[in-house]
Amino acid sequence: IRLGTKKTNTNTVSLVLLDNTLADIYNDKNELDRAEQVIKRNIIRQQKLKANFETAYWLLSSYITAGDIQQKKQKFANAQNSYNHALAINDQYYKGNRLREKAYTLIQLGKIKLAQKDPIKAIDFFNQALTAFGLTDSILLFNKERIFGDNRLIDIFYQKSIAYNQIGQDKLALDNIRLSLLSADRIRFELADVKTKQRFQSATKDMAEKAVGIAFQLLEKTKQHQYAVIILDIIEQTPAPTLLDDI
């Protein structure tokens, strides 16, 4: 990034792209003060430019990164403000059609509400993200068969599960974490290499264990056989398919 900055010191757009990447790097390394300094500088730089259809996207990205940094620092009001700026840019320049960015921003706003112990509002944001993906109708009903493999979709259903857990809705928590695992399973079919599948499986292991835990609590509470079947389904859904593919 530093070498690129030296080579492009007269090209403002290139500097914007470089600083967006640099802020992401510092954020990933948890060097949050440095990340915040870079992204603030970058937003100020872009605000001095006349935005158009192309350049507005980089400002949108900058605000999302700024929100992520502030969220990690638990400055939730600042994070929410940055995410709202990103959504406003999406609406103004793209009529809300940058759908992956919109969905991600709504997920992050939902996570803020979870951190603030407001699961009802969090669920509302997660449902808006599902709508952005085109998975719900006007009354928030959707067809499970339409679920596809996507990391953000995995996150939506997982976060919804956490929210329902917070309000004591264990059945809905289990339903959503199973939908999260279903999306993860559909990613698995798109991965060609067994080693890659094993790494992905490892990443979803904690989620599967949590799903089994919720199902077991419901089994003990209700004594309904269906939850024992669900536990077996979850166990079979995780390690067995990768082994079967390898065979």
Side-chain angles (χ1 to χ4, degrees), residues 120-221:
I120 301 298
K121 185 60 181 174
I123 290 167
D124 181 53
F125 278 122
F126 299 140
N127 285 336
Q128 289 181 54
L130 287 175
T131 301
F133 272 128
L135 290 175
T136 61
D137 59 22
S138 58
I139 55 172
L140 296 178
L141 293 176
F142 68 95
N143 184 346
K144 188 171 80 169
E145 296 305 313
R146 294 180 64 194
I147 292 175
F148 51 91
D150 189 285
N151 285 328
R152 291 180 186 177
L153 204 52
I154 293 170
D155 200 19
I156 292 171
F157 288 122
Y158 184 64
Q159 298 300 326
K160 277 188 75 175
S161 174
I162 293 171
Y164 279 121
N165 228 319
Q166 283 189 7
I167 57 177
Q169 296 279 352
D170 291 342
K171 170 83 167 56
L172 288 171
L174 178 60
D175 289 345
N176 277 277
I177 203 166
R178 293 188 74 199
L179 292 172
S180 185
L181 288 168
L182 176 62
S183 181
D185 202 42
R186 298 210 165 143
I187 288 180
R188 185 184 64 80
F189 283 110
E190 298 169 15
L191 303 176
D193 179 64
V194 171
K195 291 292 183 185
T196 306
K197 290 181 181 182
Q198 288 172 342
R199 284 194 296 271
F200 184 76
Q201 176 185 303
S202 177
T204 58
K205 178 174 174 286
D206 289 344
M207 192 189 308
E209 289 179 351
K210 183 169 182 178
V212 169
I214 297 170
F216 188 74
Q217 288 174 0
L218 285 165
L219 176 63
E220 287 193 314
K221 188 187 299 182

Side-chain angles (χ1 to χ4, degrees), residues 1 14 17 29 37-38 46 77 83 93 100 117 121 128 132 146 180 184 193 195 197 209-210 219 221 226 230 239 243:
I1 297 294
S14 294
L17 300 180
K29 293 173 68 178
Q37 181 182 9
V38 171
Q46 291 173 86
Y83 291 137
Y93 290 93
R100 288 184 61 76
K117 305 301 181 186
K121 185 60 181 174
Q128 289 181 54
R146 294 180 64 194
S180 185
D193 179 64
K195 291 292 183 185
K197 290 181 181 182
E209 289 179 351
K210 183 169 182 178
L219 176 63
K221 188 187 299 182
Q226 70 187 68
I230 287 171
L243 177 60

Side-chain angles (χ1 to χ4, degrees), residues 4 21 50 57 72 85 93 96 104 130 146 149 156 183-184 209 247:
T21 306
K50 185 177 180 180
Y57 177 74
K72 271 192 179 180
H85 275 301
Y93 290 93
Y104 177 79
L130 287 175
R146 294 180 64 194
I156 292 171
S183 181
E209 289 179 351
I247 293 169

